Amino acid sequence: MLTMVAIVVDGLGFAAWLFLSSVGLTLIYGVMRILNIAHGGFYALGAYSAAWAIGLYTQGGGPIALIYLLIPIAALVAGVIAGLLVERGILRFMYGRDEVLMVLVTYAIFLILEDVTKLIWGTESYVSYQPALWLGTVDIFGLPYTVYKFLIIGVAIVCGLLLIWGLNHTRVGKLLLVVIQDREISSALGINVTLFFTVTFLIGATLGALGGALTAPEVSVVPGTGSEIIVMAFAVIVIGGMGSIGGAMIGALIAGFARAASVHLYPPAELFVIYLVMAAVLAFKPYGLFALAESRKI
């Protein structure tokens, strides 16, 4: 019984982290058809920005409650600045190019962002445990869990619902769905496709930075953290279907529970269980569980 409770709670916590870290990646691919490897760099920037801001704030001795507002602000600043520089400075000149070339370009940007984090924050690790510590813990069937873990789960649920609502029940979201289906027709109808691309990329970059910022209080932020997350985020969106928000949710849940089950039942499988699940899904659904339908032009 305790093992099942641990698998469920740990699985939900890991799934929430994976969803927040990967939903921006699938959003950018769904709209712009760019497999953005630089997403790992945005995650790292968000993690370092939040850890640095938390450390600076706690040294000043400000009100505790404001530190939880500081985390999303750090993610917003890091995501918007980095996303704007990358999209307006580089990617806008690459639109319409081959997808493989875009992967190479975003990989180069990722390497640059990795060096940028080292130039700004150095190579030492940053530990910002205060937000997780101050919220305390809660016992579930005798197992202690930090309240901060459930805060991350709540943020992931809210972000997912807002994205789905925004895409399906707002005018801007419906116009974005038109852009996804056909860029040329959208442009001919007077829709500012370039603006939609820029805003989408900024939202995706900010979501990636938010995933890193929320994770910072639970882990030690070290160089190379972006490399780890981009691989797992890619596995999640492949499982769910690239470009699908709902698919990212399901993919994150599957990966989260698979990882939690391996940790508690067979720890040696933890390192590869997510990729094993991805391979199993692709064997039966080559485009993922909820891949968006591709329009065919004649």
Side-chain angles (χ1 to χ4, degrees):
M1 180 63 182
L2 288 180
T3 301
M4 289 302 300
V5 171
I7 290 174
V8 170
V9 177
D10 289 343
L12 285 174
F14 194 62
W17 171 64
L18 282 175
F19 175 74
L20 287 171
S21 304
S22 62
V23 66
L25 182 64
T26 201
L27 178 66
I28 290 173
Y29 181 83
V31 176
M32 306 169 69
R33 287 299 183 267
I34 296 175
L35 184 55
N36 181 31
I37 307 300
H39 193 76
F42 299 139
Y43 175 92
L45 284 172
Y48 270 104
S49 297
W52 173 80
I54 290 169
L56 197 65
Y57 183 81
T58 52
Q59 288 178 4
I64 293 176
L66 291 181
I67 202 169
Y68 300 99
L69 183 61
L70 190 64
I71 294 173
I73 290 176
L76 180 64
V77 172
V80 169
I81 293 177
L84 195 62
L85 289 174
V86 169
E87 197 278 334
R88 289 286 84 193
I90 301 174
L91 292 185
R92 71 186 180 99
F93 301 107
M94 310 298 295
Y95 293 149
R97 304 291 184 90
D98 186 82
E99 291 185 8
V100 176
L101 177 62
M102 297 300 288
V103 170
L104 295 175
V105 170
T106 56
Y107 178 65
I109 295 171
F110 167 72
L111 295 178
I112 293 171
L113 292 178
E114 285 280 279
D115 287 337
V116 167
T117 58
K118 293 177 184 177
L119 288 173
I120 297 175
W121 290 286
T123 56
E124 67 274 9
S125 62
Y126 280 71
V127 180
S128 54
Y129 59 88
Q130 292 89 346
L133 178 66
W134 289 338
L135 285 180
T137 61
V138 60
D139 283 351
I140 300 179
F141 292 97
L143 297 175
Y145 288 95
T146 61
V147 175
Y148 188 81
K149 180 186 291 291
F150 295 96
L151 176 64
I152 294 178
I153 294 174
V155 171
I157 293 173
V158 170
C159 286
L161 293 177
L162 284 176
L163 285 171
I164 293 174
W165 173 80
L167 282 173
N168 296 286
H169 299 286
T170 65
R171 180 176 180 274
V172 174
K174 292 177 179 179
L175 289 176
L176 183 58
L177 292 176
V178 174
V179 173
I180 292 173
Q181 290 298 319
D182 197 306
R183 302 178 190 177
E184 289 79 9
I185 295 299
S186 300
S187 182
L189 290 173
I191 299 175
N192 191 338
V193 175
T194 301
L195 178 60
F196 272 97
F197 277 14
T198 301
V199 173
T200 298
F201 195 85
L202 291 181
I203 293 174
T206 302
L207 286 170
L210 179 63
L214 287 171
T215 309
E218 288 200 318
V219 299
S220 177
V221 182
V222 297
T225 185
S227 303
E228 177 186 1
I229 190 57
I230 190 60
V231 177
M232 287 191 286
F234 178 71
V236 167
I237 68 171
V238 167
I239 291 171
M242 295 176 66
S244 170
I245 303 297
M249 290 182 177
I250 301 300
L253 285 171
I254 293 173
F257 284 120
R259 186 256 184 184
S262 68
V263 168
H264 292 283
L265 299 177
Y266 188 64
E270 179 191 358
L271 294 176
F272 63 86
V273 67
I274 293 178
Y275 313 111
L276 182 63
V277 171
M278 179 180 70
V281 169
L282 293 181
F284 296 95
K285 298 279 289 185
Y287 296 100
L289 296 175
F290 301 97
L292 297 178
E294 296 279 355
S295 59
R296 190 178 70 173
K297 298 179 182 179
I298 302 176

